[in-house]
Amino acid sequence: MGTQAEPRKLLSRERVLRTAIKLADESGLGAVTMRRLAEELGAEAMSLYYHVSNKDDVFDGMAELIGQEINEAAAGVSTHDGGWKAAVRQRILTAREVLLLHPWMPSLLSIRNTASASIIAHHDAIVGLMHDGGLSYDLIHHGLHALGSRALGFAQELFDPGKGPVSDETISAMAAGLPNIAAMLAEVAHDDPASTLGWCDDQTEFEFGLDLILDGLHHRSSATS
Amino acid sequence: MGTQAEPRKLLSRERVLRTAIKLADESGLGAVTMRRLAEELGAEAMSLYYHVSNKDDVFDGMAELIGQEINEAAAGVSTHDGGWKAAVRQRILTAREVLLLHPWMPSLLSIRNTASASIIAHHDAIVGLMHDGGLSYDLIHHGLHALGSRALGFAQELFDPGKGPVSDETISAMAAGLPNIAAMLAEVAHDDPASTLGWCDDQTEFEFGLDLILDGLHHRSSATS
DNA sequence: GCGTAAGACTTACGATGTAAGAATCTTGGA
DNA sequence: TCCAAGATTCTTACATCGTAAGTCTTACGC
């Protein structure tokens, strides 16, 4: 009997948050406004406030859900028998894979530094792996600080010293004021543009830094015990 | 000739940026709005646009000035004779001291990841110190990535696992879902609340992470050469 | 039918960045 | 001294944002 209009799916906190994540995935965190979010849901902005207390609550909810995604992904990966270092490494790289699907997460976490339950749980798992490996809680504590955002799979890069191929002109132009960086760029010449998580945050570079820290922790653990 | 009204100091890009920094120091980055900034300068919001192209330009200018402050502070510190590691460490800790005076810098840098000239110069200096110390440019390049924001004196902390004294109730409350973190907190018990740069970013923790990375670079350098 | 409460909507306000153009002030040449 | 021509500042206005307050709609037990 004719068009029965759209089914008008009900709103819910879950649906709001999922839509917010989809919106951020597609158009960036800046596109997540209450009005745009409502539009995406076929509702009005103020209607969201019945399910969500305010925008920060939306942000926190998004982080919580991504944290769950990380934990689920990690649950599906067998705990290696290669020692705590391999296990922690694995967990963190798994987290990173999830974050690569949601590149806005780093920004979100820097805006809202409240700890969501699922992200704390992720850290709890890391602490557990380290402790099982024989590290003291004191060392683990220092280690968590040393890892910082790396525990979640990303590193804050301050700028992008070599996005794309560095032209020779660029190098000679900066050679005057920045002799050392110029020399480095001339020699290193980033060639793998397979980056993405924000800013020049290569998988290779990420793993290098991660291993540097894990090795350091391992060394300090062996030396002490 | 009575009161001659206020002298009405002239606006200038310099004055706008300095005032923005002062405002951020006093009331946080969120207080830096064009109107508030204008008010502070005894002018109208739109008048600023003659000296500054937009708000992002203000942010970039602030970062540039802080970068200069870092470089000036570093210039006043003698380059040690303790090898490249001590020299780099010194430079980074000096940068950190400046950042501690401007706790909003981390947030600013995460919002505007454009590279200001002075901050690039700071990195150039670090590259120089490392190269003088015999590190290969390739290793230096990796090292810079590994350092990330730490090169400027801060580390992104995701949340604050132990701000202030951790109450026993808190620990027993979380013991159920987070056995490992609970156990760690029970044992470690943060006791030095002399933190500040954002979130639980102790000087001690910062230096621990910094040394972990520098030691790792040193080790990888020795092994290769 | 009818109250009742959950859920969605309307309207409105203050804050923000900034476009467009008017007003004022400064300065140098006639 | 006067006046044209920048240089600088101000006025007004608009779009967008988060959200407070209150109203309408719908579903359902009686």
Side-chain angles (χ1 to χ4, degrees):
Chain A
M1 41 202 84
T3 54
Q4 202 194 336
E6 314 113 45
R8 276 293 204 172
K9 224 168 156 191
L10 284 182
L11 288 179
S12 74
R13 182 181 169 85
E14 173 86 12
R15 217 160 79 79
V16 169
L17 298 181
R18 296 274 174 219
T19 306
I21 288 175
K22 196 185 60 173
L23 196 51
D25 286 344
E26 290 166 358
S27 317
L29 203 53
V32 180
T33 70
M34 297 307 276
R35 287 175 232 259
R36 182 101 166 67
L37 189 47
E39 186 187 348
E40 210 79 7
L41 287 158
E44 295 302 314
M46 289 310 292
S47 305
L48 308 185
Y49 283 84
Y50 188 83
H51 305 276
V52 139
S53 62
N54 51 41
K55 195 178 177 181
D56 279 345
D57 189 27
V58 173
F59 281 155
D60 291 346
M62 292 169 76
E64 169 67 21
L65 287 187
I66 300 298
Q68 288 176 16
E69 209 178 312
I70 289 175
N71 292 331
E72 285 159 18
V77 175
S78 68
T79 305
H80 284 59
D81 43 4
W84 70 268
K85 220 163 67 175
V88 168
R89 198 184 125 102
Q90 176 71 273
R91 236 235 170 213
I92 290 179
L93 290 181
T94 299
R96 178 178 171 83
E97 277 173 37
V98 173
L99 281 219
L100 285 169
L101 300 174
H102 309 288
W104 41 269
M105 263 295 271
S107 311
L108 198 168
L109 291 169
S110 80
I111 293 173
R112 304 281 314 154
N113 68 326
T114 60
S116 80
S118 58
I119 288 180
I120 294 187
H122 167 72
H123 284 79
D124 188 77
I126 293 177
V127 172
L129 292 174
M130 287 179 167
H131 191 246
D132 289 348
L135 299 213
S136 74
Y137 279 130
D138 187 61
L139 185 58
I140 293 173
H141 171 236
H142 287 314
L144 275 195
H145 276 285
L147 283 169
S149 68
R150 223 177 285 263
L152 261 172
F154 70 98
Q156 182 165 22
E157 298 286 341
L158 295 169
F159 55 90
D160 183 339
K163 197 80 155 199
V166 182
S167 72
D168 290 346
E169 306 116 46
T170 309
I171 292 180
S172 56
M174 62 171 26
L178 307 167
N180 303 299
I181 284 184
M184 180 180 75
L185 283 185
E187 193 176 309
V188 174
H190 290 234
D191 24 27
D192 48 351
S195 164
T196 27
L197 198 63
W199 321 274
C200 195
D201 184 10
D202 264 358
Q203 185 72 19
T204 309
E205 301 302 345
F206 181 84
E207 294 189 17
F208 178 89
L210 177 57
D211 290 337
L212 209 58
I213 293 173
L214 295 181
D215 287 349
L217 290 175
H218 175 72
H219 181 256
R220 277 161 176 73
S221 170
S222 313
T224 308
S225 68
Chain B
M1 32 208 89
T3 55
Q4 204 195 336
E6 314 112 48
R8 277 291 206 176
K9 224 168 154 191
L10 283 182
L11 288 179
S12 73
R13 181 182 169 85
E14 173 85 11
R15 218 160 79 80
V16 169
L17 298 181
R18 296 274 175 219
T19 305
I21 288 175
K22 196 185 58 170
L23 197 52
D25 286 344
E26 289 165 0
S27 318
L29 203 54
V32 180
T33 71
M34 298 307 276
R35 284 175 235 260
R36 182 99 166 67
L37 189 48
E39 187 187 347
E40 211 78 8
L41 287 159
E44 296 301 315
M46 288 310 293
S47 304
L48 308 185
Y49 283 83
Y50 187 81
H51 305 277
V52 138
S53 62
N54 52 41
K55 195 178 177 181
D56 280 346
D57 189 27
V58 172
F59 282 155
D60 292 346
M62 292 169 75
E64 169 67 21
L65 287 187
I66 300 299
Q68 288 176 16
E69 209 178 311
I70 289 176
N71 291 331
E72 285 158 18
V77 176
S78 69
T79 306
H80 282 58
D81 43 5
W84 70 268
K85 221 164 66 175
V88 168
R89 198 184 125 101
Q90 176 71 271
R91 232 228 174 216
I92 290 179
L93 291 181
T94 298
R96 178 179 172 82
E97 277 173 36
V98 173
L99 281 219
L100 284 169
L101 301 175
H102 309 289
W104 40 268
M105 264 295 273
S107 311
L108 198 166
L109 290 169
S110 81
I111 293 173
R112 305 280 315 152
N113 68 325
T114 60
S116 80
S118 58
I119 288 180
I120 294 186
H122 168 71
H123 285 80
D124 188 77
I126 293 177
V127 171
L129 291 174
M130 287 180 167
H131 191 246
D132 288 350
L135 299 212
S136 74
Y137 280 129
D138 188 61
L139 185 57
I140 293 173
H141 171 236
H142 287 313
L144 275 194
H145 276 286
L147 283 169
S149 67
R150 226 177 283 263
L152 261 172
F154 70 98
Q156 182 165 22
E157 298 285 339
L158 295 168
F159 56 91
D160 183 340
K163 197 80 155 201
V166 183
S167 71
D168 290 346
E169 306 116 47
T170 309
I171 291 180
S172 57
M174 62 170 26
L178 306 167
N180 303 299
I181 285 184
M184 180 180 76
L185 283 186
E187 193 176 307
V188 173
H190 290 233
D191 25 26
D192 46 353
S195 163
T196 27
L197 199 61
W199 320 274
C200 195
D201 185 10
D202 265 356
Q203 185 72 20
T204 309
E205 301 301 345
F206 181 84
E207 292 188 19
F208 178 88
L210 177 58
D211 290 337
L212 209 57
I213 294 173
L214 295 182
D215 287 350
L217 290 174
H218 175 71
H219 181 258
R220 277 160 175 76
S221 169
S222 313
T224 308
S225 68

